[in-house]
Amino acid sequence: MKTKAITHFALPAIVIALCGFVLAGTKHKTTAKTHKPLTEDTSKKYFPITLKAFANAAILKARYDSIPWFSHVQGKTYFYVVKGEWNMYPVLQRGNEVLQNCKMGLVGPDLKEIIPVSFDLIRDIGGTFPGLIEVEKDHKRGFYNLSGKPVIPVEYDQVFPIDSNKYKAVLRKGHDLYWLKNNYTISGKTNLNITQVFGMLKISLPLTEKDAAGNIIEFNSQKESQSIYLPPSHLTDLDLLTPSMFYKKPFRKNPYPAFKQTDNLKKENITEPTNKNSNNWFKSILYSITEHFIFGRTQFYTTKKLVLVDAKRNQVYGKDIFVDYSQPSGLQLSRPYLCNEYSARAINDSLIEVKASVLTSIDLYNDDKLSAMPGYHYFALKNNKMTELQSNRIFSFTQYSKMDDRYLRGCYTYTLHTDSVNRESQQANQLSKEALLYAKNEIYASYHYKFTDKRWNDIFQENQFFKSLNPGTQSRDNVDNLLTAIDKYNIEWIDQKLKTMSRQSLTASKQPSAKTNKGL
């Protein structure tokens, strides 16, 4: 939904190697002739296990086009080998494309091939199950053991490890589910629904580099100062982790620090859907993941990850939930004024609404600020995929849903303007009149409306997050022909609600004070 968020911390460009892409129109192919022997000074930078891996990788270059990585498991080294073009792709994440120009395999410590060179991707050894290697081809997943024997055929769309005494995982092929038994045999098709698996999902992350050190993948490069971690597919399918992560290299002396590592995973409370018409056809979990960035200075960032289980389609989806709409110079809230509420509901069979507390920095007309509020995310379910709908509004519910009183309720924090220097925070359980007026005018501003009141033009021009969602300037004198049916409904609804609030405020102001009641 919020696709143009302000960047608070810019990571330097990191390049990883992937098949089938060309960088800047050049082709790169590594051959044995390009290998340079280690110098005496260079060898002092590496531990013996890495030095030996470099030497064996040089031998393998006579048989393969590239050996990009090697992995150390229990003191033994395994080599990721490639036939075909191997090019540098300047992104951290691998997309869903099938890589056509090269294939990957795995060579064992004895330099014999244990996994044939026929796969799009080979993930970390032991990442999902101890001693097994997850492979991927044409978006299908399967597993080999370290002896090179296929254990799970490469024909399943998803693999979900579970906490169970009887089974290791649930396998999904299309809409059908199968049990993976403890002896790694596979049951016939079951009547199992994915919601039954929901409570058994085994979600565990390599929270620090120490946790991932059992199967560290090193780059076959004397220049690269980091190791790469390729998470199991179930963690990337649920969007809990990115397709690649980087750590310090434990086998190289004086390594540079990692750019990022995941330090904490916390399961949040989330209200289950109560829409009677939906028959509770989905369930949801919200995870809070803290990531630790180290580059020049140390910083911690928290992201929210939504896992949605769709009982109708027997699918599991994962998405990021954006929780910071504040400007870089926004006020810092103390803990008592931070909101922490989440809920999800089905608006209809194909539209999901997720409510999640967010930080904001919204200037209101009376010079107060709205500093925290419920943020709304909308997800469309179509063709077995969950796509977040974009919005160019902070109050996104005005774009996708006809308003009622539920959108006024929630945890709101206001930073009150008492004078030019002093401000105090105050928490409330409903949207104020001033904030509701902002929500109404934001509908017009999202179409670049030029207000006759300069104060409103300034408010939207100075809100950096709103500007990032709406590039350009408010230049239209009339936007009535651009308003949608939902826009018009919500504008009228807000007008009526503002009138009600004004009457209530006037009535309250006319009530006798407590001192008058006491006859004082």
Side-chain angles (χ1 to χ4, degrees):
M1 179 182 68
K2 308 299 180 188
T3 58
K4 297 183 180 179
I6 296 172
T7 301
H8 294 272
F9 183 76
L11 293 177
I14 304 174
V15 178
I16 68 172
L18 286 178
C19 306
F21 293 98
V22 177
L23 177 62
T26 63
K27 294 186 178 181
H28 172 75
K29 183 176 180 179
T30 304
T31 65
K33 292 182 180 180
T34 63
H35 176 70
K36 295 180 180 180
L38 295 171
T39 65
E40 182 178 354
D41 290 339
T42 304
S43 65
K44 292 179 180 179
K45 299 178 182 178
Y46 305 96
F47 288 97
I49 192 170
T50 299
L51 291 175
K52 184 178 179 181
F54 280 145
N56 285 334
I59 296 172
L60 290 173
K61 285 178 181 178
R63 293 156 47 189
Y64 301 98
D65 293 314
S66 184
I67 299 89
W69 306 317
F70 44 77
S71 180
H72 309 294
V73 179
Q74 297 181 347
K76 297 180 180 180
T77 302
Y78 296 81
F79 299 85
Y80 292 74
V81 296
V82 169
K83 288 184 178 180
E85 288 188 8
W86 180 265
N87 298 295
M88 303 300 289
Y89 189 56
V91 293
L92 283 172
Q93 295 190 359
R94 176 180 182 269
N96 292 323
E97 71 283 347
V98 175
L99 305 176
Q100 300 288 357
N101 294 340
C102 71
K103 295 299 177 184
M104 182 179 287
L106 194 71
V107 167
D110 58 359
L111 304 190
K112 294 181 179 179
E113 195 172 285
I114 58 176
I115 297 181
V117 185
S118 59
F119 295 99
D120 296 322
L121 182 67
I122 297 177
R123 297 179 184 271
D124 274 48
I125 299 171
T128 306
F129 306 115
L132 297 188
I133 309 149
E134 184 176 11
V135 300
E136 185 173 329
K137 184 176 182 179
D138 297 331
H139 304 303
K140 301 293 183 181
R141 284 75 179 258
F143 290 82
Y144 279 73
N145 63 21
L146 291 173
S147 299
K149 180 182 177 181
V151 176
I152 301 173
V154 188
E155 58 187 46
Y156 294 95
D157 298 302
Q158 287 181 305
V159 179
F160 293 114
I162 60 173
D163 284 316
S164 170
N165 294 328
K166 191 175 180 180
Y167 303 108
K168 283 192 171 292
V170 172
L171 310 177
R172 183 180 71 81
K173 185 191 299 184
H175 294 292
D176 298 327
L177 299 177
Y178 306 81
W179 291 111
L180 177 64
K181 301 177 183 178
N182 282 333
N183 62 0
Y184 290 106
T185 60
I186 300 171
S187 73
K189 184 174 67 175
T190 72
N191 293 324
L192 184 69
N193 190 285
I194 197 65
T195 55
Q196 296 171 266
V197 182
F198 187 69
M200 298 186 288
L201 286 179
K202 186 177 182 180
I203 302 295
S204 59
L205 306 183
L207 300 180
T208 66
E209 61 189 49
K210 182 182 293 185
D211 297 322
N215 50 345
I216 284 293
I217 298 177
E218 286 196 76
F219 283 93
N220 181 27
S221 168
Q222 299 173 29
K223 297 180 180 180
E224 178 55 55
S225 61
Q226 296 183 347
S227 61
I228 185 172
Y229 172 66
L230 305 173
S233 63
H234 68 278
L235 295 179
T236 58
D237 285 348
L238 299 179
D239 203 30
L240 293 177
L241 291 183
T242 57
S244 58
M245 300 174 65
F246 292 85
Y247 296 95
K248 291 185 292 185
K249 284 191 172 180
F251 303 109
R252 303 198 179 186
K253 300 175 184 179
N254 300 318
Y256 292 104
F259 290 111
K260 180 177 72 173
Q261 65 187 44
T262 302
D263 283 340
N264 187 36
L265 171 70
K266 180 183 178 183
K267 184 176 177 181
E268 304 275 1
N269 292 325
I270 186 166
T271 305
E272 293 300 340
T274 56
N275 188 333
K276 294 181 180 180
N277 294 328
S278 70
N279 295 318
N280 287 344
W281 56 270
F282 74 88
K283 292 186 177 181
S284 51
I285 287 181
L286 194 76
Y287 290 94
S288 175
I289 296 181
T290 301
E291 292 177 315
H292 184 197
F293 291 85
I294 310 173
F295 191 78
R297 57 177 179 167
T298 297
Q299 296 193 33
F300 291 85
Y301 291 90
T302 299
T303 57
K304 303 293 183 181
K305 306 284 187 174
L306 176 71
V307 176
L308 192 68
V309 181
D310 182 349
K312 285 187 176 180
R313 301 165 181 83
N314 242 11
Q315 294 281 336
V316 181
Y317 315 96
K319 286 291 180 182
D320 280 344
I321 297 293
F322 189 60
V323 295
D324 191 354
Y325 301 174
S326 61
Q327 302 176 34
S329 59
L331 298 173
Q332 297 297 315
L333 295 178
S334 59
R335 186 171 297 275
Y337 296 105
L338 291 175
C339 298
N340 191 33
E341 59 175 353
Y342 304 94
S343 62
R345 72 184 183 101
I347 293 180
N348 53 48
D349 279 355
S350 60
L351 185 62
I352 305 299
E353 178 186 84
V354 176
K355 176 182 178 182
S357 294
V358 299
L359 295 176
T360 61
S361 182
I362 299 176
D363 287 312
L364 303 178
Y365 196 88
N366 64 349
D367 286 330
D368 288 348
K369 281 183 177 289
L370 180 56
S371 304
M373 58 178 275
Y376 288 83
H377 302 254
Y378 293 87
F379 298 93
L381 298 177
K382 187 176 181 181
N383 297 327
N384 296 325
K385 294 182 180 180
M386 183 171 74
T387 303
E388 185 164 6
L389 302 179
Q390 297 183 7
S391 178
N392 61 348
R393 305 174 193 176
I394 296 173
F395 289 91
S396 56
F397 55 75
T398 63
Q399 184 172 352
Y400 291 110
S401 182
K402 290 186 175 181
M403 289 180 64
D404 55 36
D405 284 340
R406 86 183 77 191
Y407 292 102
L408 303 182
R409 297 190 293 266
C411 177
Y412 295 89
T413 300
Y414 300 93
T415 305
L416 307 180
H417 178 76
T418 53
D419 56 52
S420 59
V421 177
N422 299 311
R423 287 180 178 269
E424 61 181 34
S425 293
Q426 185 178 87
Q427 202 166 78
N429 59 8
Q430 66 178 10
L431 200 62
S432 69
K433 178 182 176 182
E434 293 287 340
L436 187 57
L437 185 58
Y438 179 100
K440 172 191 171 181
N441 283 337
E442 185 186 42
I443 298 174
Y444 291 104
S446 67
Y447 295 105
H448 303 292
Y449 178 67
K450 184 177 181 179
F451 295 91
T452 56
D453 188 329
K454 182 179 181 298
R455 169 66 176 153
W456 279 115
N457 287 324
D458 291 342
I459 284 174
F460 290 108
Q461 281 298 303
E462 293 172 5
N463 187 308
Q464 296 300 317
F465 185 74
F466 178 84
K467 285 174 64 178
S468 73
L469 298 175
N470 297 271
T473 58
Q474 284 77 24
S475 58
R476 294 190 177 102
D477 293 327
N478 190 302
V479 296
D480 290 347
N481 62 326
L482 300 176
L483 298 176
T484 67
I486 291 180
D487 290 336
K488 294 175 181 177
Y489 176 93
N490 286 334
I491 289 171
E492 184 177 350
W493 189 91
I494 291 174
D495 283 339
Q496 293 300 317
K497 186 59 64 174
L498 288 172
K499 290 179 181 178
T500 301
M501 288 180 169
S502 295
R503 287 195 297 268
Q504 291 173 343
S505 177
L506 181 62
T507 301
S509 66
K510 292 181 177 180
Q511 293 294 325
S513 65
K515 291 183 178 180
T516 302
N517 285 338
K518 292 181 180 179
L520 297 177

